[in-house]
Amino acid sequence: MPFPYAANRYREFRSRVWEEALPLAREPKRPNFDREPEMELQARWYGGEFGREFVGVDGERIEVVQFGHWNRGAGPDFTDAAVRINGELHGGAIEIDTNVKDWEGHGHGANPEFENVVLHVFADGPALSRFFTRTREHRNVCQVQLPQYAWSQGPPDFLPEAYPGRCVAPLSLMTDDEVESLLLSASQFRLQEKAERLRVMSRATSTEQALFQGIAEALGFYQNRTAMAVLAQRCPVSELGEMNPLEREARLFGAAGFLEQGIFDEALEGQSRRYLRGLWECWWKMRGGIESRPPKKISWKLSGSRPGNHPQRRVGALAALVSQWEALRPVWEQNVNNSVEKVVNNSLNNLRHPFWETRYTVKANPVSGRLTLLGKERQRDILGNVIFPVLIGLEPERWEEFTALKKVNTNHKLRRATLRLFGEDEERQQLFTSYYHQQQGLLQIYRDFCLEDLSECDHCPFPEQLAQWGQSKGRENSIRVSEAA
Ligand code: SF4
């Protein structure tokens, strides 16, 4: 089914299911702000994910004209910003907190460095009382509470291991074609959401920068997604593009915090030390204004990831990828006549890095063989999560190409989704996880229903409403016909 008609069908189905659900199941789940680290919120803000235009807490019309600079030292989070409030332009700083009360909790109200804050952005606040933001001089600061759509990526991964859900039975009664059309529609819907996020980010920065951040996030895997997003923001692709390869790498490694004395001391092996010294000699000349002080440093997660996914290797891969940026340009400039997958894979297969092809980290000894810098799985994720969402928005006929993209190795979330929806039916598990779009469809249903459910399936409206899926086809056709007319 062509893009975006299947997405519309799923969207309509999804809202109908929730409209007819029991109130308990329909209760919106509050985002868990305590789990949302402040830096992730700031990275999403700076990446333009929330857009530029807001309505303030007191109804003000707010436009962020300039996002400013991400402050690496003490003081407000973003300096030199420009914000239009009810038509009047204000220059100053922007402070971002997970909770509005953090302003006082962190002592900003008594701190002269926060006197020029023009906008206080926050995600959560007390439900029953109003909390004002005031400076040391008792100036009232305009407040913006972030819209909840930005938390659409779902809650963090804290669920217990999966068990087969109540929808296994009704799904088993559906034909393969019906299940395939459900997954395909859910996956089209998901792709549209990703495309929308990147489009909003592009408007706040540029298409290239949004793509660069998206690719960096994909390289960060689950553990270091935010850290890589922050790194991409602190090292914009437009600036990296003007540097030579050594400067580019020094900028990325320095901004990542990987050129500090402690890391140099850990690198016992001569070649590693020479590599780091070369980067350091370039970095120290440029680090003023870029280097972050402790509270604003990028925090990397090292536990739980494979050795080959160590963040130092991922940053090495990102540096190598920037060298291939021009080869990738035809993709987003819509100059590809044949397969996008081929063009992207050809460029990414060409990534080379003499040091990172033989090392897991700077302190590890070289390995004997050659390590792949960017494996097939990562390449497919970059295609499926970043490049196709952008491209299909511009060229809907690329949807067919997207549906030919093969699966990626299952991750824990996908395993849970498959088990919950198909139970122990191995044949169906395999049949409906062979392609990337099927996996994405499963993840979407898992997010929309399983992660919203608080009743061990008892109050989930999905199983009862599955019968409507077949009936919704007629409605979808009529939407399509009327849109075409
Ligand atoms: S929560 Fe709903 S969608 Fe998820 S397994 Fe249970 S019945 Fe199925």
Side-chain angles (χ1 to χ4, degrees), residues 41 43 60 143 203-204 244 261 273 320 352 395 449 464:
L41 189 61
E60 307 96 323
Q143 298 172 318
R203 283 217 315 254
N244 67 42
Q261 187 63 45
R273 289 193 155 210
R352 287 286 177 275
E395 300 176 64
F449 300 102
E464 279 71 29

Side-chain angles (χ1 to χ4, degrees), residues 165-167 420-421 445 449-450 453 457 460 462-463:
R166 208 162 57 81
C167 55
R420 298 209 78 187
L421 269 64
I445 293 170
F449 300 102
C450 303
D453 178 60
C457 297
C460 174
F462 186 63

Side-chain angles (χ1 to χ4, degrees), residues 226-275:
T226 300
M228 288 295 270
V230 175
L231 184 64
Q233 290 167 7
R234 292 185 180 177
C235 305
V237 69
S238 56
E239 291 179 25
L240 295 176
E242 286 171 6
M243 297 175 172
N244 67 42
L246 181 65
E247 289 169 337
R248 201 180 287 151
E249 195 159 336
R251 167 83 184 255
L252 284 165
F253 271 79
F258 294 152
L259 294 180
E260 293 177 356
Q261 187 63 45
I263 291 180
F264 187 81
D265 292 342
E266 283 178 348
L268 301 172
E269 191 256 335
Q271 210 182 343
S272 295
R273 289 193 155 210
R274 277 195 296 283
Y275 168 66

Side-chain angles (χ1 to χ4, degrees), residues 308 313 353 356-360 367 369-374:
R313 285 201 86 233
H353 196 297
W356 289 111
E357 275 173 5
T358 56
R359 300 282 194 311
Y360 286 115
V367 296
R370 180 178 156 248
L371 300 168
T372 315
L373 216 49
L374 207 59

Side-chain angles (χ1 to χ4, degrees), residues 241-311:
E242 286 171 6
M243 297 175 172
N244 67 42
L246 181 65
E247 289 169 337
R248 201 180 287 151
E249 195 159 336
R251 167 83 184 255
L252 284 165
F253 271 79
F258 294 152
L259 294 180
E260 293 177 356
Q261 187 63 45
I263 291 180
F264 187 81
D265 292 342
E266 283 178 348
L268 301 172
E269 191 256 335
Q271 210 182 343
S272 295
R273 289 193 155 210
R274 277 195 296 283
Y275 168 66
L276 288 175
R277 195 171 297 116
L279 294 179
W280 167 256
E281 277 165 12
C282 217
W283 168 243
W284 74 265
K285 293 179 224 161
M286 62 168 87
R287 66 179 171 149
I290 301 174
E291 199 166 33
S292 308
R293 286 166 54 179
K296 313 272 172 157
K297 276 187 179 177
I298 299 179
S299 125
W300 298 95
K301 291 192 188 116
L302 302 179
S303 59
S305 62
R306 293 178 196 199
N309 298 339
H310 191 284

Side-chain angles (χ1 to χ4, degrees), residues 44-102:
R44 288 180 177 192
W45 166 267
Y46 202 48
E49 213 173 303
F50 298 93
R52 282 180 182 278
E53 289 171 11
F54 305 91
V55 176
V57 170
D58 291 315
E60 307 96 323
R61 281 175 293 109
I62 296 171
E63 183 196 353
V64 179
V65 179
Q66 187 174 290
F67 282 92
H69 302 124
W70 197 332
N71 177 19
R72 321 284 201 256
D77 295 317
F78 298 95
T79 56
D80 309 308
V83 181
R84 190 171 281 123
I85 302 171
N86 289 335
E88 195 179 325
L89 194 61
H90 299 259
I94 297 176
E95 175 66 12
I96 303 197
D97 289 313
T98 46
N99 193 299
V100 65
K101 290 166 87 176
D102 292 344

Side-chain angles (χ1 to χ4, degrees), residues 161-172 415-425 429 445-446 449-450 453 455-460 462-464 466:
E161 268 307 301
Y163 50 86
R166 208 162 57 81
C167 55
V168 169
L171 273 167
S172 69
R415 271 200 312 276
R416 286 173 193 170
T418 311
L419 185 62
R420 298 209 78 187
L421 269 64
F422 298 123
E424 306 294 342
D425 185 342
Q429 283 186 5
I445 293 170
Y446 182 68
F449 300 102
C450 303
D453 178 60
S455 64
E456 294 203 335
C457 297
D458 279 357
H459 296 133
C460 174
F462 186 63
E464 279 71 29
L466 269 175

